Amino acid sequence: MGNFSLIDHTVLIFIDEFSANYARNGGRCSQVGHALEKFSDHNLAARLMTADDRKS
């Protein structure tokens, strides 16, 4: 096993709500990096990332 980060659905729900509110007030958010594994096809499904995935 390597150095992994699990991003659970509650974090993704928070980010989704934050970015929607931020955009309504003139801000802009963008996704950086990609998940090594997504646990379902749902947009807010938990994800597994490595340190290298977070840099791309």
Side-chain angles (χ1 to χ4, degrees):
M1 275 261 160
N3 183 14
F4 294 95
S5 292
L6 176 67
I7 305 165
D8 95 336
H9 71 282
T10 60
V11 172
L12 293 166
I13 290 168
F14 172 81
I15 292 170
D16 186 59
E17 291 172 354
F18 173 86
S19 63
N21 289 332
Y22 193 61
R24 276 194 293 277
N25 290 299
R28 183 174 166 273
C29 292
S30 60
Q31 180 178 340
V32 177
H34 63 280
L36 176 67
E37 183 175 341
K38 194 171 166 185
F39 292 96
S40 83
D41 291 334
H42 191 278
N43 286 342
L44 301 177
R47 293 144 203 258
L48 186 66
M49 297 181 79
T50 67
D52 289 338
D53 292 324
R54 293 188 301 267
K55 293 177 186 172
S56 56

